[in-house]
Amino acid sequence: MTGVSNGRHAGLSSRVQPTITELTKQREVIKVSSVGEKSFSVVSYNILADCHMEPEWYQYTPDDSRTAQQRHSKLMGELDVLNGDIVCLQEVGEEYQPFLMSEMADRGYKGEYFRKTMGTREGSATFYKKDEFEFFDVQKLTFNEMLEEAMEAANIDVLLQHLVHETIFSLLCN
């Protein structure tokens, strides 16, 4: 395998880093525009929270890659190579989130974590390169909250609201 090193985190590994082309050869890379002075890159991954890891569902996953901690070095290696200006991660487990935030901060990112509602022990984390973007505000919205506000604005009965929530939850889970 050929590769290049971007010089960042050189002390973390002495092995040759794969190129972005090699790393993403089985993934869809979407280019919205040509690279220019005002362009930026976004990397988005679902990293599979530990609370969702059921071995019978993920039989293809090697035993040494079943937890977020076990997959961590591979994830960070890919993120280092991809070098996204913005990184969006879904299914970030509650227990893994503080460790991930610290690791991303060491790489020059600032981020926000938003835990899902309805008791799920995972959420989304969005990171940005703090030397390239200026932070203004965070607005955390959930589908459930937006639905509730819309139903209240439409004067829909509370019992009907509950029924709609349960129906949507059932549809999403099946």
Side-chain angles (χ1 to χ4, degrees), residues 2 5 20 32 46 85 87 105 122 159 167:
T2 61
S5 173
I20 291 175
V32 178
N46 179 317
D85 298 310
V87 177
E122 51 99 348
L159 290 175
T167 302

Side-chain angles (χ1 to χ4, degrees), residues 75-91:
L75 172 65
M76 298 314 291
E78 281 197 34
L79 294 179
D80 285 344
V81 170
L82 294 172
N83 197 24
D85 298 310
I86 298 171
V87 177
C88 305
L89 301 175
Q90 301 83 45
E91 288 196 23

Side-chain angles (χ1 to χ4, degrees), residues 118-151:
M118 300 176 70
T120 304
R121 297 186 47 133
E122 51 99 348
S124 299
T126 303
F127 300 93
Y128 60 91
K129 288 184 177 177
K130 56 186 174 187
D131 62 344
E132 296 195 28
F133 295 94
E134 185 177 346
F135 176 79
F136 289 106
D137 188 24
V138 171
Q139 290 191 2
K140 298 178 179 183
L141 304 171
T142 69
F143 177 74
N144 288 341
E145 290 169 346
M146 291 186 298
L147 177 63
E148 189 174 310
E149 288 174 14
M151 293 178 83

Side-chain angles (χ1 to χ4, degrees), residues 59-169:
Q59 296 174 2
Y60 57 85
T61 304
D63 289 341
D64 65 349
S65 296
R66 301 259 171 176
T67 69
Q69 287 292 343
Q70 290 173 322
R71 295 186 302 273
H72 179 75
S73 64
K74 291 178 184 175
L75 172 65
M76 298 314 291
E78 281 197 34
L79 294 179
D80 285 344
V81 170
L82 294 172
N83 197 24
D85 298 310
I86 298 171
V87 177
C88 305
L89 301 175
Q90 301 83 45
E91 288 196 23
V92 176
E94 271 184 337
E95 301 83 16
Y96 180 58
Q97 176 265 329
F99 181 68
L100 178 63
M101 296 295 266
S102 174
E103 289 279 313
M104 293 299 283
D106 289 348
R107 287 165 166 77
Y109 289 89
K110 175 126 177 64
E112 291 289 329
Y113 176 76
F114 186 46
R115 183 175 174 215
K116 284 186 179 177
T117 59
M118 300 176 70
T120 304
R121 297 186 47 133
E122 51 99 348
S124 299
T126 303
F127 300 93
Y128 60 91
K129 288 184 177 177
K130 56 186 174 187
D131 62 344
E132 296 195 28
F133 295 94
E134 185 177 346
F135 176 79
F136 289 106
D137 188 24
V138 171
Q139 290 191 2
K140 298 178 179 183
L141 304 171
T142 69
F143 177 74
N144 288 341
E145 290 169 346
M146 291 186 298
L147 177 63
E148 189 174 310
E149 288 174 14
M151 293 178 83
E152 285 175 6
N155 229 2
I156 296 176
D157 185 88
V158 174
L159 290 175
L160 183 57
Q161 285 182 30
H162 181 72
L163 177 62
V164 170
H165 279 280
E166 290 300 313
T167 302
I168 290 171
F169 180 73

